[in-house]
Amino acid sequence: QVQLVESGGGLVQAGGSLRLSCVVSGSTFKFIAFGWYRQAPGKQRELVAGMRVGTTTKYADSVKGRFTISCDDAENTVYLQMNSLKPEDTAVYYCNAPWGSSLWGQGTQVTVSS
């Protein structure tokens, strides 16, 4: 059974950085496509970043130039590096792997104070 476990969230001041991790266990598939989503209170879940390895990388307009999605096959881990954080980035962040599947982690809270 595939499990996704996110970590790395927390409370940070505006302008700060966080790196989110998503460890994928219970599967031998190589990372072909994966994504990070977020959901703020009262809002729908939205795509933050997605990657199809070797082909496509997509970012929400609101995070372009600040966030970077990556993966480490050897560690079975997907990352989201978040720099220059803003209060509007506050949300629960979820990993989705494979991207577009029904497999989600439990989420990790990111809170950015002004």
Side-chain angles (χ1 to χ4, degrees):
Q1 183 177 354
V2 177
Q3 286 190 315
L4 283 65
V5 179
E6 300 99 333
S7 63
L11 174 63
V12 64
Q13 288 189 328
S17 297
L18 286 172
R19 188 176 79 158
L20 305 184
S21 300
C22 172
V23 177
V24 182
S25 62
S27 171
T28 58
F29 72 80
K30 291 179 69 68
F31 286 118
I32 297 175
F34 44 90
W36 284 96
Y37 289 73
R38 67 186 180 188
Q39 188 166 18
K43 294 188 177 182
Q44 289 189 329
R45 191 173 295 190
E46 63 174 357
L47 175 68
V48 175
M51 174 181 278
R52 290 187 170 84
V53 177
T55 59
T56 306
T57 303
K58 181 176 181 178
Y59 293 95
D61 287 343
S62 60
V63 307
K64 282 180 182 176
R66 300 189 297 123
F67 290 11
T68 304
I69 189 171
S70 63
C71 70
D72 184 332
D73 275 346
E75 298 294 328
N76 269 15
T77 303
V78 179
Y79 299 102
L80 184 68
Q81 177 67 43
M82 307 187 296
N83 299 328
S84 303
L85 283 161
K86 304 176 181 180
E88 51 264 45
D89 295 319
T90 295
V92 179
Y93 284 71
Y94 298 91
C95 174
N96 178 225
W99 188 13
S101 74
S102 60
L103 297 175
W104 298 87
Q106 83 290 349
T108 186
Q109 176 70 48
V110 172
T111 302
V112 184
S113 63
S114 57

